[in-house]
């Protein structure tokens, strides 16, 4: 009988899967001249690694299955939503800017500048699955808290996305700033919800492995930094107030990330 694979070996198989999926998406992007296809598979890269861990690690218990189920719901919904939202619109503006900055030869450069980078980041974010799937402890109260936070995050993100989609679908709202529903209390409810998902899953990993698995906090920390400082809030709001002056007032009265009361205007 073959011996069970070590955690390191399983982790490397997860990395190999994310690399293969990213490379396949790169080839599709060449055919369509659309690097933003990577956004459609980002969540699938992460959960794909999670599926590998659950499949290859021995004696995966209820915790690993709960984590995988929550993440799979998150990943599938997000991938389908982004695919639907971007269908027929061509390459997204952020990626067009990256393309322009990295000419000539961007078609090849995108393999490592975009797709390989996303594969590695997705693999790092998948760390709680590796810890949680291998954890020996039974489910406990901390797991319940983690499940609640992750489930809340999935719903919060989905509701925020749906509210924005309905707002944009109404021609009467053209040129207006979305400041109703969840968007009244945070300028980025989708990003806040997504961050909650990963802090909740990390809590579950911690509940199963104890402080020995605390290193997997790199996952929610990385996701939080990405959404706040790299590809999320900072990038989207870099010049939006110049392009849409009404957004300045929205910034003044609405919190950027964590939901909170609407700020009153200074007299």
């Amino acid at each position: 009988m073959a011996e069970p694979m070590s955690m390191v070996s399983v982790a490397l198989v997860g990395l190999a899967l994310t690399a293969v999926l990213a490379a396949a998406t790169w080839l599709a992007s060449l055919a369509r001249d659309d690097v933003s296809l990577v956004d459609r598979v980002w969540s699938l890269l992460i959960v794909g690694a999670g599926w590998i861990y659950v499949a290859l690690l021995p004696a995966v218990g209820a915790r690993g299955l709960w984590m995988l189920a929550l993440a799979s719901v998150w990943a599938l919904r997000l991938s389908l939503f982004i695919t639907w939202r971007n269908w027929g619109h061509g390459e997204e503006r952020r990626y067009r800017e990256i393309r322009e900055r990295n000419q000539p030869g961007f078609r090849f450069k995108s393999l490592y500048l975009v797709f390989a980078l996303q594969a590695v980041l997705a693999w790092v974010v998948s760390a709680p699955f590796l810890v949680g799937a291998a954890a020996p402890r039974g489910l406990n109260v901390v797991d319940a808290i983690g499940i609640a936070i992750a489930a809340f995050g999935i719903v919060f993100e989905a509701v925020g996305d749906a509210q924005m989609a309905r707002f944009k679908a109404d021609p009467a709202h053209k040129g207006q700033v979305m400041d109703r529903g969840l968007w009244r209390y945070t300028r980025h409810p989708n990003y806040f919800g997504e961050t909650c998902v990963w802090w909740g899953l990390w809590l579950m990993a911690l509940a199963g492995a104890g402080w020995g698995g605390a290193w997997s906090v790199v996952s929610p920390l990385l996701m939080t930094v990405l959404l706040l400082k790299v590809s999320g809030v900072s990038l989207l709001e870099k010049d939006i107030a110049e392009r849409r002056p009404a957004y300045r007032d929205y910034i003044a009265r609405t919190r950027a990330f964590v939901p909170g009361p609407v700020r009153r205007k200074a007299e």
Side-chain angles (χ1 to χ4, degrees):
M1 181 180 294
E3 293 186 3
M5 296 176 67
S6 69
M7 284 185 66
V8 172
S9 298
V10 172
L12 292 176
V13 175
L15 176 60
L17 176 68
T18 62
V20 168
L21 291 176
T25 310
W26 172 66
L27 292 174
S29 79
L30 296 180
R32 297 189 56 171
D33 248 358
D34 185 357
V35 172
S36 59
L37 290 179
V38 73
D39 287 347
R40 305 184 189 187
V41 302
W42 160 249
S43 61
L44 302 180
L45 297 178
I46 301 171
V47 81
W51 277 94
I52 287 293
Y53 304 152
V54 169
L56 296 183
L57 286 169
V60 174
R63 175 178 294 102
L65 297 178
W66 265 104
M67 293 177 71
L68 190 59
L70 287 164
S72 296
V73 170
W74 166 78
L76 184 59
R77 188 216 63 92
L78 185 59
S79 178
L80 290 174
F81 173 74
I82 292 175
T83 299
W84 169 79
R85 184 190 65 188
N86 294 353
W87 194 266
H89 293 289
E91 192 168 64
E92 203 250 350
R93 182 176 64 88
R94 291 173 298 161
Y95 291 101
R96 290 199 303 270
E97 293 174 354
I98 295 173
R99 181 184 293 275
E100 291 166 3
R101 288 198 304 267
N102 290 280
Q103 296 291 5
F106 178 72
R107 285 168 64 82
F108 175 72
K109 290 178 182 177
S110 66
L111 175 59
Y112 57 88
L113 289 177
V114 177
F115 293 92
L117 176 61
Q118 295 272 30
V120 172
L121 292 176
W123 178 63
V124 174
V125 172
S126 74
F129 297 120
L130 185 66
V131 172
R137 299 178 183 175
L139 291 172
N140 54 57
V141 174
V142 178
D143 285 293
I145 296 171
I147 290 171
I149 293 173
F152 166 80
I154 292 169
V155 173
F156 202 85
E157 181 178 15
V159 170
D161 282 338
Q163 289 175 342
M164 178 61 82
R166 284 197 300 271
F167 179 83
K168 287 185 173 181
D170 188 342
H173 295 149
K174 187 174 182 179
Q176 297 181 17
V177 173
M178 170 55 161
D179 60 356
R180 57 200 71 179
L182 297 180
W183 300 80
R184 175 178 172 81
Y185 305 103
T186 165
R187 302 199 300 274
H188 301 278
N190 49 344
Y191 294 154
F192 174 73
E194 188 161 327
T195 303
C196 289
V197 172
W198 293 100
W199 282 105
L201 292 174
W202 175 71
L203 274 180
M204 295 183 71
L206 189 66
W211 292 112
W215 63 268
S216 61
V217 74
V218 65
S219 168
L221 284 176
L222 174 60
M223 188 64 86
T224 303
V225 170
L226 288 174
L227 292 174
L228 275 174
K229 301 296 184 181
V230 183
S231 62
V233 176
S234 294
L235 182 60
L236 287 177
E237 296 192 346
K238 179 179 61 175
D239 60 353
I240 194 170
E242 298 172 8
R243 293 183 288 110
R244 303 171 63 191
Y247 204 86
R248 292 196 196 99
D249 181 57
Y250 182 52
I251 290 175
R253 69 177 186 271
T254 310
R255 296 172 184 270
F257 196 65
V258 178
V262 178
R263 301 188 186 102
R264 294 181 180 275
K265 291 184 180 180
E267 298 294 336

